[in-house]
Amino acid sequence: MKREIGFTLNGEAVRLEVEDQWTLLYLLREVLEMTGTKEGCGYGECGACTVIIDGKAINSCLYPAMEAEGRAITTIEGLVSKDGELHPLQTAFINEGAVQCGFCTPGMIMSAKALLDANDKPTEEEIKDAVAGNLCRCTGYVKIIDAIKSAAGGR
Amino acid sequence: MNSLTTVGQKIPKRDAPPKAIGAAVYIQDMKVPGMLHGKILYSKHPHARILKLDTSRAEKLAGVRAVITAADMPSTFRIGVMKDNPPLKTGKVLSIRDEIAAVAATSPEIAEEALSLIEVEYEVLPGIFDPIEAMKEGAMLLHEETKSNVLKLPWKLVCGDVEAAKKEAVFIVEDTFSTPWVTHCCLGTSGCIAQFDTNNNLTMYSNTQIPSLAQNDYIEALNAFGLKNKRVRIVQCVIGGGFGSKLDTYSYEYIAIRLSLKTRKPVKIIFSREEEFFATSPRQCTITKISHGCDREGRLMFREIEMVLDNGAYTSWGATTPSVMMLPISSLYKVPNVKYTAKCVYTNNTYSQAMRGYGNPQATFAIESSLDQLAEIAGIDPYELRLKNANEPGEVTPQRFKITSCGMKECIEEVVKRLNWKGKHGRGAGRGVGMASLIHVGGGARVYKSDGCGTIIKMDDFGKVDVFTGASDIGQGSETIIAQIVAEVLGIPIDDVNVINNDTDICPWDVGVHASRTTFVAGNAALGAALKIKSQVLEAAAKLLEEDPAYLDIKNGIVFSTRNKEKSTPLGKALRKAHYTLGGKMLMAEYFYDPKNENFDKEFKGNLSVSYAYGTHGVEVEVDKETGQVKILDYVAAHDVGKAINPLLLEGQIYGGGLQGVGYALGEKMVYVNGELKNGNFLDYKIPTAKDVPPMQAVIVETDEKDGPFGAKGIGEPGLVPTAPAIANAIYDAVGVRIKDLPITPEKVLKALKGKEKIG
């Protein structure tokens, strides 16, 4: 069944029809063709599909698209400013060597952003907690944690 | 090379910005107009006869464009190292990943539904899931055309005289160690898009680690399909992790090709995470019987190893990992007498592939655990035993490896110093330290007839450079390393160097991203091409400046005379002068670098690599005697890398490898029960998370490797090789129990502690 919903996506109002069975990830990747958000598992275990919904980091692969109604959603595409300036977390991930194959990177950055938005001086343990649901097989997380620390420190 | 400007710098990865903003296009993100979606039906049983296969209902489903079975494949067409694997199976299935049929449809959902409409009737057969059982006389044969389940591969290495050394050795230890099936867990799953043009030339969008070899494989397949003399182009999307998983071509790729041929449409197959777990080829499990002996002073006299490897149902490169295992077995520390035999055995499990380290981690776990046992009975500190037997520059090992640069002793010393080994070792009481070292190929590895890589460079009118390399970037950073080398040689800013590395139509040949070879081999190829084009630049500038090219150099994009300050010109001006002249030229250069390493001879001897990489990991652990939990308190990973071209990326390889090693040591295991994978998801197969990161120090030990580009050696694989034995040794130091079967779970530690109490 289709239903029309409205929500804010990366700061802009969106209205569109969604199907019952669509996940938010499907809506983003397949319907809106915003492929920055990745699917690593499809069952909420790897975090590659993390987006921010009303300030919280959420696995979009498990989130029904219908539930987006009235909410504010930020994806990795929404972090770059209109004039092309990267978010400090993106810059920190690049400069600290936190990106290898990069498949986990967008989700990792979104989890980190949700953390820093709520807590601008996180401890190392709080950083680890915030990205514990985001799997990375390349980096050993060390430089990811460094990057988040660096972005927090630079604010 | 005394004033380097780009090489040696912590330069951020050039592909990081598109990845960090979500703009990088992985195979998952790739779409081709008119594209169909393919899905594969796998066997329900690990060993069964297919009695009936009916696809008629699937074919009738709206949106289905093709259904294929073994009848659509040439009956003799086989893939795999020993050509034992038909991409679609008929008659018998040998594992739960056996492909029986496949569908192409207008959406993945329709393709999935169509699979559920395919009717298969099986006669379930008893399977063999244990390699030891499979080796027994009279055991059922998996491949009926063979005489034995033991693969016909001659894995035997003999150096010196082990039997004689045994008689002379003062201290001897013998034990058995085992390792589990573990899998790569690339975050980006496997996938491809096959597309034919009107002349039946194939374009494959791919995330392969071996574009040039895959091209050959596909051409062979097209020949088998009756399409002779066709062109194959491979375009790599951004690759979401490799670790060896993409070193071969697999059934799904041939299925996509066949579906595309049948439908005349591009066909995309993307693995679900579930498929990625059960239908890709993991690191095999091994059982290793090892014996070590030394003299009274602790000098190693012999090492003897017998190994059984569960190969699984078909062959991929996993069957060849004993060749690389020979490297640590013969040459990790100085051991004059070595004997090694290995048997790879067919079973009804999945089938094995190489994974980061290519067998080295399995072998090193046994060697380095056993060495600690030897140190104990010889009454020598394990660190002193290692130092006493450490490899050295100039050594020729029993397998005829010529050791050039070697920082092994320095790595051991770094670990001892940074871990405060002398203050901590041997104290017990629940805390302990352990170490283990590694040797790996660091200067290519001649496993094929060529170990080469080609590079083409062209320059535009303004001094901007395009570098076309055969080397693939799987996230490790070869694109950045190659750009650094070219920028350094040409004296130009790195931003002026563009690297193209993902299209076989325009990039030269390369054997593949494996064997920690890319910095060394592709780096040398880039270096060679850059030097060639530099001499052309200097010649062009020489005319403009009226100076002998021997006295010209380039820095910051300016060509200048080293003896006359007056004479200098921006690079672009010299290039334009050369171009816009009657009979002018645009500058281009090519270079093919093939290292002067050797294929093994019939006895598996020869200098496999131009140089060898070393490292030592040291770990401090705390073991909870109540729960068996192991906590890593400190972790030092020291690596001899030659020259660090980019310390930022290099540390990333060490940390990343190290944590994969921690997963291998303490938690990861694919649980196969009667051929079925019981934990094929991230909930049940746990890879380390950010919460599992111990305090880690990556220590770069620089040695000057004369054959390396700017002195560099490989570092891709070494990071996880010595982790598991270092942790096992630390646990023994802490609580006096030795876990010989990976992973070292709390249950095993607890059981061992209880067993020790009973004896004690």
Side-chain angles (χ1 to χ4, degrees), chain A residues 29 33 36 38 40 43 45 76 90 94 96 99-103 128-129 132 135 137-141 143, chain B residues 13 19-20 22 26 28-29 31 183-184 273 475 651-653 656 659-660 668 681-683 688-689 691 693:
Chain A
R29 286 184 56 85
E33 297 196 323
K38 303 299 176 195
Y43 47 78
E45 269 303 310
I76 189 73
Q90 292 172 315
I94 295 163
E96 296 289 332
V99 180
Q100 285 190 28
C101 92
F103 203 84
K128 287 180 173 180
D129 281 339
L135 297 180
R137 192 57 154 171
C138 299
T139 64
Y141 305 99
K143 289 182 180 291
Chain B
K13 245 157 68 74
K19 288 173 173 174
Y26 297 81
Q28 281 77 6
D29 310 322
K31 281 184 183 168
T183 184
H184 311 79
R273 177 55 57 186
E651 287 165 6
Q653 290 301 305
L659 201 66
Q660 274 186 1
E668 291 180 36
N681 59 71
F682 282 135
L683 256 179
T689 73
K691 299 283 282 178
V693 181

Side-chain angles (χ1 to χ4, degrees), chain B residues 167-337:
Chain B
K167 285 180 193 140
E168 285 175 31
V170 179
F171 302 105
I172 294 179
V173 287
E174 187 181 311
D175 217 326
T176 301
F177 297 86
S178 53
T179 63
W181 289 101
V182 291
T183 184
H184 311 79
C185 291
C186 301
L187 261 285
T189 56
S190 303
C192 68
I193 303 171
Q195 179 177 31
F196 283 91
D197 70 11
T198 48
N199 292 323
N200 281 335
N201 296 311
L202 171 67
T203 296
M204 194 75 153
Y205 297 92
S206 161
N207 49 15
T208 183
Q209 293 179 237
I210 48 156
S212 302
L213 301 187
Q215 196 179 22
N216 282 353
D217 284 356
Y218 300 150
I219 287 170
E220 206 175 294
L222 295 186
N223 278 330
F225 295 158
L227 303 173
K228 310 283 184 195
N229 276 326
K230 296 300 168 190
R231 290 181 56 83
V232 170
R233 175 189 183 194
I234 295 180
V235 180
Q236 286 155 299
C237 299
V238 176
I239 298 171
F243 314 118
S245 62
K246 299 164 177 79
L247 279 185
D248 204 350
T249 52
Y250 297 98
S251 292
Y252 81 87
E253 295 161 69
Y254 299 95
I255 289 170
I257 290 170
R258 191 68 193 87
L259 286 169
S260 179
L261 263 179
K262 190 158 181 172
T263 58
R264 308 302 311 172
K265 296 275 186 190
V267 173
K268 178 177 188 173
I269 292 181
I270 293 289
F271 274 14
S272 66
R273 177 55 57 186
E274 190 191 3
E275 281 176 297
E276 189 72 14
F277 268 104
F278 82 79
T280 64
S281 292
R283 189 197 295 283
Q284 76 275 78
C285 57
T286 59
I287 304 161
T288 303
K289 193 176 151 197
I290 180 168
S291 176
H292 258 134
C294 67
D295 66 12
R296 197 167 299 285
E297 283 75 41
R299 274 186 295 267
L300 290 175
M301 295 183 67
F302 75 90
R303 179 179 293 155
E304 184 176 23
I305 292 183
E306 285 173 34
M307 197 182 280
V308 176
L309 302 90
D310 186 349
N311 176 75
Y314 303 98
T315 51
S316 182
W317 297 112
T320 69
T321 52
S323 63
V324 174
M325 291 179 180
M326 289 175 182
L327 165 61
I329 288 169
S330 72
S331 305
L332 178 60
Y333 306 106
K334 291 178 187 164
V335 201
N337 304 292

Side-chain angles (χ1 to χ4, degrees), chain A residues 3-46:
Chain A
R3 183 160 35 124
E4 190 177 286
I5 60 166
F7 60 97
T8 309
L9 180 58
N10 296 332
E12 287 184 18
V14 179
R15 283 209 77 79
L16 42 75
E17 280 197 327
V18 298
E19 297 260 8
D20 276 348
Q21 72 278 15
W22 288 0
T23 62
L24 178 59
L25 180 65
Y26 182 88
L27 174 65
L28 291 170
R29 286 184 56 85
E30 304 301 329
V31 181
L32 299 173
E33 297 196 323
M34 293 167 62
T35 54
T37 307
K38 303 299 176 195
E39 178 174 336
C41 69
Y43 47 78
E45 269 303 310
C46 78

Side-chain angles (χ1 to χ4, degrees), chain B residues 406-625:
Chain B
C406 173
M408 189 186 212
K409 286 183 179 174
E410 291 87 334
C411 290
I412 295 172
E413 297 288 10
E414 283 287 349
V415 164
V416 167
K417 182 178 77 188
R418 287 169 189 263
L419 218 51
N420 184 17
W421 178 276
K422 289 169 189 168
K424 285 178 175 165
H425 183 260
R427 299 204 163 179
R431 279 173 84 143
V433 289
M435 69 161 66
S437 295
L438 79 103
I439 179 175
H440 201 64
V441 288
R446 187 165 291 269
V447 287
Y448 299 91
K449 287 291 171 197
S450 172
D451 191 19
C453 174
T455 302
I456 298 167
I457 295 188
K458 69 180 173 72
M459 280 182 122
D460 73 4
D461 286 338
F462 308 97
K464 296 232 184 328
V465 173
D466 290 313
V467 182
F468 302 86
T469 175
S472 306
D473 197 322
I474 51 173
Q476 86 282 33
S478 59
E479 179 183 336
T480 309
I481 298 294
I482 287 166
Q484 283 180 264
I485 289 171
V486 171
E488 187 68 55
V489 173
L490 289 178
I492 57 175
I494 190 168
D495 289 344
D496 286 355
V497 183
N498 177 38
V499 177
I500 298 103
N501 58 0
N502 67 340
D503 187 341
T504 54
D505 264 10
I506 51 176
C507 297
W509 194 90
D510 175 72
V511 77
V513 51
H514 70 213
S516 306
R517 66 185 282 282
T518 300
T519 292
F520 191 95
V521 178
N524 266 326
L527 180 72
L531 286 170
K532 270 173 96 171
I533 205 165
K534 184 179 180 182
S535 73
Q536 293 182 39
V537 171
L538 297 185
E539 238 165 73
K543 281 183 195 154
L544 184 75
L545 295 173
E546 295 176 342
E547 173 61 293
D548 182 343
Y551 293 99
L552 291 178
D553 203 353
I554 319 169
K555 213 171 196 174
N556 294 324
I558 306 287
V559 189
F560 62 96
S561 165
T562 51
R563 62 178 177 183
N564 182 350
K565 278 184 185 167
E566 304 293 306
K567 291 191 173 183
S568 77
T569 174
L571 180 57
K573 197 174 171 189
L575 292 167
R576 290 192 292 276
K577 177 75 181 166
H579 181 191
Y580 298 107
T581 306
L582 193 62
K585 65 188 273 190
M586 292 290 287
L587 302 197
M588 278 178 272
E590 49 70 36
Y591 193 81
F592 188 80
Y593 176 78
D594 190 13
K596 53 182 195 309
N597 46 12
E598 299 166 359
N599 288 116
F600 284 143
D601 64 14
K602 281 183 184 158
E603 294 183 333
F604 294 103
K605 289 173 187 166
N607 195 31
L608 183 65
S609 184
V610 174
S611 71
Y612 297 86
Y614 290 91
T616 304
H617 287 200
V619 190
E620 183 180 9
V621 300
E622 185 175 61
V623 182
D624 186 328
K625 289 185 179 174

